[in-house]
Amino acid sequence: LGNYPYPQMTVVASAASKGDGMEYPMFTLLNEPWGNEKMLDIIIAHETGHNWLQATLATNERNNGWMDEGMNTFLEEKYTRQYYPATAQKRAPKIPEDLTAVFLQWLYERKWDVPIQVAADTAVPAFLYASIYAKAGQWMTKLESQIGAQAMQQLMQQYFQQWQFKHPQPTDFLAMAAEASKQPVDTLLQTLLEQGP
């Protein structure tokens, strides 16, 4: 996305930590122990990735969680494919993203999924989680397939450069994505408001 804007990054593992990891500016707290070095590397990549999306772009995660977690899931999956290509294709389900994707598919089949653009206090937490991580990550992947990997990289870098420390809204990202994809902003926004894949 761009240069790291802070003076340091600290990663701490603690048995008292809840969940897989939690991000803070310049600091990531991980649960321990991690018996698999690849999984440790991937969770560190995801949690430190928030320092670009959450801590630098500073989007409103309560109202627009996909702009942090969804984008970060998209970038984590790219990282995993680049550094662990065999692992990305043949591996046991990874928590949370792989199981979340399975759960999201189950929700799709029942038409119970929630839109990507949903406020945190308006959806069942498990459904929200599936949407802002897996569904938003899928949406980002679909956008990349439409415009190409190089154009997507340029889009993400321009977005980061233009909006860092400015609290961007969905329409700010969508305006840049619309220009890259040659689609109307309203069309892109509509896909964030729909149910289904």
Side-chain angles (χ1 to χ4, degrees):
L1 295 178
N3 291 332
Y4 183 65
Y6 297 104
Q8 69 183 50
M9 167 58 69
T10 303
V11 178
V12 175
S14 169
S17 175
K18 302 294 183 194
D20 292 331
M22 186 62 200
E23 69 276 3
Y24 305 92
M26 297 190 295
F27 180 81
T28 290
L29 182 62
L30 305 179
N31 198 348
E32 66 173 355
W34 285 86
N36 182 321
E37 287 185 23
K38 289 179 183 177
M39 291 309 305
L40 175 61
D41 183 43
I42 291 168
I43 197 70
I44 289 172
H46 180 92
E47 298 305 333
T48 58
H50 287 294
N51 276 270
W52 282 261
L53 293 161
Q54 177 246 48
T56 305
L57 289 169
T59 54
N60 183 329
E61 285 195 84
R62 287 186 180 271
N63 293 331
N64 309 304
W66 70 273
M67 295 178 74
D68 175 39
E69 294 295 358
M71 289 183 178
N72 203 24
T73 296
F74 166 74
L75 295 172
E76 176 203 332
E77 289 171 354
K78 290 179 76 64
Y79 177 88
T80 302
R81 285 193 302 271
Q82 179 173 342
Y83 291 101
Y84 304 104
T87 306
Q89 294 174 6
K90 296 179 182 179
R91 59 184 163 90
K94 172 174 67 78
I95 295 177
E97 288 77 12
D98 285 355
L99 294 181
T100 303
V102 170
F103 179 57
L104 181 59
Q105 185 60 43
W106 184 83
L107 292 174
Y108 285 155
E109 291 167 1
R110 286 153 185 78
K111 300 188 184 321
W112 290 351
D113 64 295
V114 297
I116 293 169
Q117 180 59 49
V118 62
D121 61 353
T122 63
V124 175
F127 293 12
L128 174 74
Y129 185 84
S131 183
I132 66 170
Y133 281 79
K135 188 174 180 180
Q138 291 172 0
W139 184 84
M140 294 288 291
T141 299
K142 190 180 294 185
L143 177 62
E144 181 182 53
S145 71
Q146 291 172 353
I147 68 174
Q150 184 175 357
M152 188 68 168
Q153 182 176 343
Q154 291 172 348
L155 167 63
M156 295 303 292
Q157 289 174 341
Q158 289 169 357
Y159 170 62
F160 179 76
Q161 183 63 36
Q162 182 173 334
W163 287 101
Q164 57 186 307
F165 304 111
K166 295 179 183 173
H167 307 284
Q169 298 298 310
T171 51
D172 298 319
F173 176 75
L174 295 177
M176 299 180 82
E179 186 176 338
S181 65
K182 300 183 176 28
Q183 296 183 59
V185 172
D186 290 349
T187 300
L188 292 175
L189 179 59
Q190 186 58 40
T191 64
L192 298 180
L193 298 173
E194 293 173 348
Q195 286 184 286

